[in-house]
Amino acid sequence: MGSMDMQKPDLDNTPDVDTFSTKGSQHPLSILMQEAYQALTPLGFEIASGPELEDQWHNFDALNVPKDHPARDMQDTFYIKNSPEHVLRTHATSTTARMLKKAADKKLTQAAYVSIGKVFRNEATDATHEMQFFQIDGCMIGEDISLAHMKGVLLELYRHVLGSDVEIEFRPSFFPFTEPSVEVHAKFNGRWLEMMGGGMIHPQVLKNAGYDPEKIRGFAFGGGLDRIAMIKWNIPDVRLFYAGDVRLNQF
Amino acid sequence: MKVSYTWLKRYVPELPEASMLEDVFTQHLCEVESVEKKSEEEFLFDLGILPNRAHDLLSHEGVARELSGLLGLPYKDPNTYVAPEVRKTILQITVESELCRRYMGRIVRGVTVGPSPEWLVQALTSIGQRSINTIVDATNLVMFDCGQPTHAFDLQKISGEALTIRAARSGEKMTTLGGVSLGNSDAVGDHTGSEIELTESNLVIADAAGVLALAGVKGGNKAEVDTTTTDIVIEVANFDPVSVRKTARKNNLLTESAKRFENDLSPELATHAMHKLSSLIAKLCPEAQFEECIDIYPNPHAVREVSFSLDAVSRILGMKIEPEQAEKILMQYGYSYTRADDRMSTDSAGAHADTVFVLQVPPLRLDLVGTHDIAEEFGRIIGYDAIEPELLIRLNMPQKNEAYEHMRAARQKLLSEGYREVMTYSFAKKGKISVARGAKGKEFLRTNLSDGLREAYERNRLNAPLLGLSEIKLFEIGTVFPTEKIENTEGRGEVGGVEEIHVAYVDKKELVEKTVEEFSHNLPPVTADAIETGEKNNAGEAFDKKDFSHEQESDSKTETFVPWSIYPFISRDIAVWVTDTESEKKLETILATFAQTYCVRPPQMFDTFSKDGRTSVAFRLVFQAMDRTLTDSEVETWFAELVSLIAKETTMEIR
C-alpha cells in the first residue's frame, strides 16, 4: 500500500460501539447483577433491597460491631453531618441485618436473601479503590444450615458468573458478624483470587435479629461486585464504572 | 506482623521448611502478606494476624505454639531462666483507675546501659526493629517474644520512689521519647519527641511531679533510660483495650505496645513476661541487684471452661468430626479437657449419640467463648477443603421485590429504545444532605440524576465520532436524596423515607427524570411468564420477546474488556464522486486497509447524495493513538498519502 513508512500510531483497539446501532447497551455491573440474581433466585433466594443512607444500628451494632471496637475501624465510614446516628452504608450486610429481623418478625424458620447495591467508603481513590462501589450480600438461614451449604451455593454462583470450570476454596478469616469466618477464593483463568468474605452468622447477630441461635443457624456472604466484574472481564480500573463513558458497555 | 523463621524454629525445632509454612498459614491460620528470604536459613514472614487472634498471636511464642498444635510438633522453651536474688523494696505503686487491670513493677539497681550484645541486636533487626541500648532492647525483645509489652523507667529521674497509675488531668503535658513512631518501635532515637496535651480520658503512669508515660502506648522522655542510667523500674502491666486504643489513635501513636493492648490482652501473660524480662536483664547485667516485684492485680482472671457438643460443631461445619479426631487435635495443642461420650443430641433429624467435651480455655485465648468459636477452630485446623459442597434448594416462594421489578422494567424499556446505561457518582457539589470529611466538590448526596447525566451526555457527545454514533442516548437508574429531614430513630428503627430511586434518560431532544415507580407505572411486568404469554398491561401494550434479548443474550463469560485511549482524537472527512459499483468497492477496500493501520475505527460512511447523475459518498476517518496526542501535521501527512493513493489506484474524483 505504497510507502507509508512514517511513524504509525499505536494501534488503538477502541471497542466498536455499534455503528449507527439503535440497540441500547447495558452497564457491565447491571449484567453481572442480573447474572448473580439468575444464579441465586432458582435456589430460593429472595431479592432484597435496603437503604444506602443507613443507621448505625443496622450497619454496625446489629452485626456485632460494637462502638469503640477496632473492627469498626476496618472500614472507612462516611458519617453524615448533623446526623450522628446515620452513615452511608459501608457494606450491603446492613440489608442482610434488616432481612434477618423481618424474617424473625414473621417467625420464618427458613429463608434466603440476596441484595446488590451501592456501598460507600471514605478512602482515597485509585485503580482499585473507589468512594462508591457495588456489593452483593446474602444469607440463608434454617434449622440445619452449614458451611457445606454455603460452599454449594457459592460454587453455583461463581460457576454461573465466571464459567463452569471455576473452583472455590475457603480460607480462615475474621468478621465480627460471622463465626466461623472465611475468605472465599476462586480459581479463574489459572489464578486463585480473593472474591468475598462470609461464614456462619454469629449467634449474637441472630439474637439481635430476634432469633434463638440454638434453634436457627445460617451463613452469610458478601463482597464487591466491581471486583468480580474487573476479574471476569479484565477491566483495569474501578473508576471506569462511574465515569459515564459508554465505551464501557462492551458486553 | 513480622516474624522470623529462625526465631520460630527455636521454639519448634522440627518446623518444616519456610516454603511449606506459607501454605500452612494461608490455609489454616491467616493471610501471609509477604515472605522475604534473608539467607539460606532465615525468612521473614509478614503475617496478617486477625483481630480475634491478636490476643495470643502477636508474638513469636504465640505463633510457634499455634504451629506446634497445628502440625503436631513438639514445642519447647529453649531459654534458660535466671532467678536472681531478691531484696526488699520501698517502691510504692498506687493504681487509681480501673482501666489498669494489672501492674507489676520492680526496681533493678546497678544496671549497665550501653550497646547491646550482638545476638540481641540480631534478634531485633531480624524483624525490622532497631537496637537502642541494653535495657530498652530487653523490654522490646520480651514484647516480640511473648506478646506482652514491657517498659523501663530511669529510677533516678522519678520524683520519689512512687508511681501512680491514674487518669491524666486536663491540660497536663508529656513529651514522648524519641520520634513519633507509627508502629515501628517505641525507640528512643536521635529525633526529638513530640509534646502531647492530655485529657482526662488518657490513662497515665505518673510520679509526684507529673506524667511519665501514656499507659500502654508510649513512654515520656522525662524518665528515659539512657547511658547515664544506673537504676531502673521495670513495668509489666495490662490496660483496658478501649482506653489504649482511643489514646493511641487520638495522638497518632499506634505503637507496637498499643497494638497489643487495643485488641485485649490477658493480664495472665504478665507473670511470664516479668519472669522473662528479669532473667534477661540479669544475664545482660550480672552485677544488677533486683528488688522484690510488686504485683497489683485486683481481679485475677478465672479459669474459663467451654463445653461443646461434637455433633453441634459438625453440623455447623457441615462435616462429621469423629471423637478421636477431635481428641487428637485437643491433645496436639496441649489443652486440658474432659470427654463425655453417650450424650444425646436432638436436631431436625431426631435424637442421636453425641460426645461432649469440656475444654479448659488457655488464658490467652480470649476468643474461645462458645460452640461457634470451637467450630471455627476445628474448621480451620482440619482445613475447610475437607468440607464438601452441598446444594440445598429451598423453593420458599420468595416474595417479589417491587422496587427491583420497577427498576428492571424501566431498564428493559430504555434498552429496547436504544438508550445506553451509565452509572454516575452519588456525591455532588450541591444537595441537602452532606457527609463529614467529604472530598472537595463531593460533599453532598445528589438530589437528582439529571446533573450527573447531563455531564455524562456532554462527555459522550464529544466522543461521538470515536463511537461512530449519530446520536447519544443515555440513561441511569439510581438512588437520589432529595430531602434533608432524616428521622432520628435512635438507631433501631427504619430510616425514614430519605432516598428515592429515580430513572433519568437523555437524548438530543430532552432530559427526563422520574421516580422509578412513575416511569414503570404503565409498563408490563418483566417476568418469564410475561414473555411467553405476551401479557398486556392496561393500555394494551406488551413487550415483544425480542426486547428481552439483552437479558438472555450475553454469553459474557469469555469476553475481555478492550481499553480506550485517553488522548484526544482527530477526525477527517473524505468525500469522493463514485463512478460505478466496482470502483466504489475499490474505494472502500482502500479506505478499510488505510483505516486498519492508521485509524481508531473502520471508516464510516456518513453521507451520500446524487447530483447531475453523479453520486458522492462521504466517509469519516478518526485518528487516535494509545500513547500520545497525535499532531495535525502527522494526520495531514497520512491523509495526503491516502488521497494520492486513491488518485493512483482509481479514477475517482475527490471532492
Side-chain angles (χ1 to χ4, degrees):
Chain A
M1 198 193 149
S3 54
M4 297 257 198
D5 275 350
M6 51 239 109
Q7 182 160 38
K8 297 172 187 158
D10 232 18
L11 254 191
D12 177 358
N13 302 308
T14 291
D16 200 9
V17 183
D18 336 13
T19 310
F20 291 119
S21 166
T22 51
K23 252 174 47 180
S25 62
Q26 288 189 91
H27 192 285
L29 292 179
S30 286
I31 296 174
L32 192 52
M33 175 173 71
Q34 281 158 67
E35 286 181 357
Y37 284 150
Q38 277 163 15
L40 295 172
T41 47
L43 305 180
F45 281 78
E46 180 176 318
I47 296 175
S49 25
E52 289 178 11
L53 184 55
E54 254 303 357
D55 55 47
Q56 295 216 37
W57 169 257
H58 289 102
N59 198 72
F60 291 123
D61 304 278
L63 296 170
N64 202 30
V65 184
K67 287 187 171 46
D68 299 326
H69 193 274
R72 209 129 166 165
D73 271 0
M74 275 165 88
Q75 299 164 336
D76 299 294
T77 313
F78 274 111
Y79 289 91
I80 307 295
K81 271 201 188 138
N82 302 321
S83 198
E85 275 310 303
H86 295 96
V87 295
L88 282 178
R89 65 179 174 188
T90 59
H91 46 195
T93 323
S94 53
T95 299
T96 298
R98 287 177 177 275
M99 299 320 292
L100 286 174
K101 172 124 197 340
K102 284 206 172 105
D105 288 346
K106 289 193 239 175
K107 301 206 188 327
L108 300 179
T109 52
Q110 60 188 43
Y113 304 98
V114 59
S115 76
I116 296 178
K118 235 184 218 183
V119 305
F120 305 85
R121 301 282 170 92
N122 195 352
E123 51 187 14
T125 61
D126 59 34
T128 52
H129 296 92
E130 250 293 8
M131 292 187 307
Q132 65 173 41
F133 55 98
F134 281 78
Q135 271 203 347
I136 173 172
D137 207 277
C139 66
M140 177 182 268
I141 54 165
E143 286 164 341
D144 53 0
I145 303 292
S146 74
L147 278 182
H149 299 123
M150 179 170 157
K151 242 195 204 183
V153 165
L154 291 181
L155 198 50
E156 259 314 290
L157 174 64
Y158 284 103
R159 278 187 179 147
H160 194 90
V161 156
L162 293 178
S164 48
D165 5 297
V166 85
E167 294 168 44
I168 64 168
E169 71 177 21
F170 287 171
R171 295 186 190 175
S173 187
F174 167 75
F175 305 102
F177 28 86
T178 49
E179 184 81 3
S181 303
V182 296
E183 258 174 22
V184 182
H185 290 243
K187 190 173 183 192
F188 179 67
N189 285 344
R191 290 197 310 155
W192 280 101
L193 296 158
E194 185 184 340
M195 291 294 187
M196 52 168 56
M200 295 303 284
I201 302 173
H202 196 286
Q204 190 58 51
V205 173
L206 289 167
K207 275 194 208 144
N208 292 340
Y211 276 114
D212 177 356
E214 296 294 311
K215 302 213 173 80
I216 296 287
R217 280 202 308 269
F219 62 81
F221 59 87
L225 201 73
D226 301 39
R227 182 174 162 76
I228 300 175
M230 288 169 79
I231 289 167
K232 176 183 168 104
W233 286 306
N234 203 25
I235 297 173
D237 194 319
V238 65
R239 296 167 291 191
L240 291 170
F241 290 124
Y242 310 109
D245 190 322
V246 295
R247 287 176 288 183
L248 181 67
N249 300 6
Q250 299 178 17
F251 310 109
Chain B
M1 182 192 68
K2 297 200 160 69
V3 295
S4 141
Y5 175 80
T6 44
W7 195 325
L8 291 175
K9 203 158 174 179
R10 292 185 69 231
Y11 290 103
V12 185
E14 294 173 34
L15 203 60
E17 297 197 356
S19 53
M20 282 190 57
L21 269 195
E22 190 175 348
D23 249 357
V24 169
F25 285 128
T26 314
Q27 297 294 333
H28 301 283
L29 191 63
C30 65
E31 191 182 335
V32 175
E33 280 160 33
S34 66
V35 186
E36 204 190 314
K37 180 172 176 173
K38 304 287 236 166
S39 74
E40 274 316 303
E41 283 102 38
E42 177 67 303
F43 294 80
L44 189 62
F45 286 87
D46 193 355
L47 301 177
I49 303 292
L50 300 157
N52 65 332
R53 293 299 297 275
H55 320 296
D56 71 301
L57 290 179
L58 290 180
S59 69
H60 285 83
E61 276 186 9
V63 175
R65 204 169 266 119
E66 172 61 42
L67 287 172
S68 142
L70 198 53
L71 301 170
L73 300 171
Y75 174 99
K76 67 177 203 90
D77 187 345
N79 305 307
T80 51
Y81 292 92
V82 171
E85 201 193 288
V86 155
R87 299 179 182 192
K88 285 214 99 50
T89 188
I90 50 160
L91 176 64
Q92 287 197 329
I93 301 178
T94 320
V95 176
E96 285 177 8
S97 167
E98 281 181 341
L99 298 175
C100 173
R101 304 185 302 188
R102 185 174 189 183
Y103 201 94
M104 297 176 84
R106 141 181 272 177
I107 291 178
V108 185
R109 299 189 193 266
V111 296
T112 329
V113 181
S116 294
E118 188 53 40
W119 69 266
L120 181 46
V121 176
Q122 237 305 99
L124 289 171
T125 51
S126 77
I127 51 171
Q129 297 295 322
R130 292 197 309 143
S131 166
I132 311 299
N133 60 51
T134 35
I135 298 301
V136 174
D137 288 357
T139 60
N140 284 332
L141 187 76
V142 168
M143 176 173 69
F144 292 114
D145 200 16
C146 73
Q148 165 71 52
T150 68
H151 191 69
F153 300 98
D154 183 333
L155 183 59
Q156 252 71 60
K157 298 171 187 161
I158 296 177
S159 313
E161 290 189 341
L163 292 175
T164 311
I165 295 87
R166 59 170 174 81
R169 293 174 205 124
S170 191
E172 267 188 304
K173 293 196 169 70
M174 184 191 92
T175 305
T176 58
L177 293 169
V180 175
S181 78
L182 289 167
N184 258 342
S185 72
D186 304 290
V188 173
D190 305 300
H191 351 270
T192 48
S194 53
E195 191 180 64
I196 304 176
E197 184 159 327
L198 304 166
T199 71
E200 282 153 5
S201 63
N202 303 130
L203 188 67
V204 297
I205 320 294
D207 61 12
V211 175
L212 298 174
L214 268 182
V217 179
K218 201 164 172 77
N221 64 355
K222 181 174 171 232
E224 196 174 309
V225 169
D226 55 34
T227 47
T228 67
T229 306
T230 53
D231 300 341
I232 57 175
V233 179
I234 54 182
E235 163 197 291
V236 179
N238 189 290
F239 307 103
D240 169 83
V242 175
S243 163
V244 169
R245 187 169 157 270
K246 278 188 173 152
T247 300
R249 277 167 203 269
K250 190 115 175 287
N251 294 295
N252 205 21
L253 284 172
L254 195 56
T255 58
E256 294 290 340
S257 170
K259 275 186 213 162
R260 284 161 176 81
F261 285 125
E262 77 168 1
N263 279 295
D264 206 357
L265 193 62
S266 169
E268 292 295 307
L269 185 52
T271 323
H272 174 60
M274 176 55 93
H275 186 45
K276 253 182 135 66
L277 182 58
S278 303
S279 172
L280 184 52
I281 292 175
K283 285 195 209 167
L284 291 169
C285 310
E287 311 295 310
Q289 285 157 11
F290 289 74
E291 295 185 5
E292 57 189 357
C293 177
I294 296 180
D295 185 2
I296 301 175
Y297 190 16
N299 301 307
H301 269 205
V303 170
R304 279 192 308 118
E305 284 182 345
V306 171
S307 152
F308 63 93
S309 128
L310 199 54
D311 194 58
V313 168
S314 301
R315 282 188 279 126
I316 287 170
L317 294 174
M319 71 173 165
K320 181 109 176 63
I321 302 179
E322 299 298 338
E324 285 62 46
Q325 192 184 8
E327 212 169 337
K328 179 156 180 276
I329 289 171
L330 296 175
M331 289 199 304
Q332 264 174 216
Y333 277 82
Y335 293 152
S336 299
Y337 65 91
T338 60
R339 164 180 170 171
D341 295 301
D342 308 324
R343 293 294 167 90
M344 295 301 282
S345 270
T346 334
D347 65 12
S348 50
H352 43 94
D354 191 8
T355 307
V356 172
F357 286 90
V358 178
L359 172 71
Q360 250 192 37
V361 180
L364 296 184
R365 294 299 302 271
L366 301 177
D367 64 303
L368 295 178
V369 172
T371 308
H372 48 289
D373 302 305
I374 303 295
E376 180 169 84
E377 278 300 276
F378 280 111
R380 69 169 184 90
I381 291 166
I382 294 170
Y384 292 113
D385 271 357
I387 300 179
E388 288 298 320
E390 269 178 56
L391 197 53
L392 186 68
I393 299 176
R394 288 262 166 85
L395 296 170
N396 299 311
M397 302 310 298
Q399 284 187 325
K400 241 200 210 153
N401 183 319
E402 291 245 342
Y404 178 64
E405 291 303 319
H406 287 314
M407 282 168 56
R408 227 176 133 198
R411 181 177 289 115
Q412 283 309 116
K413 174 93 175 116
L414 287 163
L415 288 171
S416 70
E417 294 186 358
Y419 288 82
R420 296 169 196 269
E421 187 175 18
V422 296
M423 294 186 183
T424 60
Y425 286 98
S426 296
F427 298 98
K429 287 193 283 285
K430 49 193 168 92
K432 300 249 157 74
I433 302 172
S434 64
V435 296
R437 289 171 49 230
K440 234 257 173 90
K442 295 194 158 133
E443 305 99 344
F444 290 93
L445 300 182
R446 65 184 178 191
T447 55
N448 62 59
L449 295 176
S450 302
D451 292 343
L453 197 61
R454 204 172 281 121
E455 278 176 35
Y457 181 79
E458 269 316 299
R459 267 182 262 122
N460 283 292
R461 200 179 58 76
L462 293 172
N463 279 336
L466 268 179
L467 306 169
L469 293 175
S470 59
E471 187 189 1
I472 304 289
K473 293 161 77 166
L474 306 178
F475 77 93
E476 179 169 6
I477 304 175
T479 311
V480 299
F481 306 85
T483 71
E484 66 227 333
K485 251 184 0 134
I486 307 178
E487 314 274 286
N488 268 309
T489 54
E490 285 172 4
R492 289 218 182 201
E494 296 281 325
V495 178
V498 175
E499 51 196 80
E500 294 175 356
I501 301 177
H502 282 199
V503 177
Y505 59 94
V506 62
D507 54 44
K508 62 181 176 216
K509 287 193 279 85
E510 57 181 353
L511 188 154
V512 176
E513 181 165 349
K514 296 186 178 164
T515 65
V516 74
E517 291 84 17
E518 259 182 323
F519 182 92
S520 31
H521 180 58
N522 281 324
L523 298 175
V526 181
T527 60
D529 301 341
I531 301 171
E532 290 310 311
T533 66
E535 207 176 286
K536 294 174 197 301
N537 65 357
N538 301 335
E541 290 169 14
F543 275 130
D544 203 321
K545 234 192 225 189
K546 67 170 162 46
D547 290 339
F548 294 99
S549 55
H550 296 104
E551 262 200 11
Q552 273 99 54
E553 204 174 271
S554 61
D555 176 22
S556 55
K557 292 181 215 335
T558 52
E559 292 169 78
T560 303
F561 173 76
V562 177
W564 56 82
S565 170
I566 55 168
Y567 296 97
F569 65 91
I570 293 173
S571 86
R572 296 298 305 270
D573 297 341
I574 183 166
V576 180
W577 292 111
V578 295
T579 48
D580 54 53
T581 0
E582 202 197 301
S583 10
E584 190 176 342
K585 278 209 174 55
K586 188 110 205 265
L587 175 66
E588 281 172 12
T589 312
I590 293 174
L591 286 173
T593 316
F594 174 85
Q596 205 145 39
T597 309
Y598 292 95
C599 296
V600 126
R601 52 172 303 106
Q604 194 175 314
M605 182 170 80
F606 67 93
D607 190 35
T608 175
F609 70 89
S610 296
K611 183 180 172 178
D612 305 329
R614 290 208 293 176
T615 308
S616 155
V617 286
F619 290 86
R620 176 154 297 149
L621 299 165
V622 184
F623 301 84
Q624 186 186 46
M626 280 303 267
D627 58 344
R628 65 185 196 280
T629 304
L630 292 174
T631 61
D632 281 324
S633 67
E634 277 178 290
V635 174
E636 272 313 315
T637 319
W638 299 326
F639 198 77
E641 280 285 335
L642 174 67
V643 165
S644 74
L645 188 66
I646 293 176
K648 199 171 88 175
E649 307 258 334
T650 75
T651 54
M652 292 185 286
E653 191 188 320
I654 296 168
R655 283 174 55 211

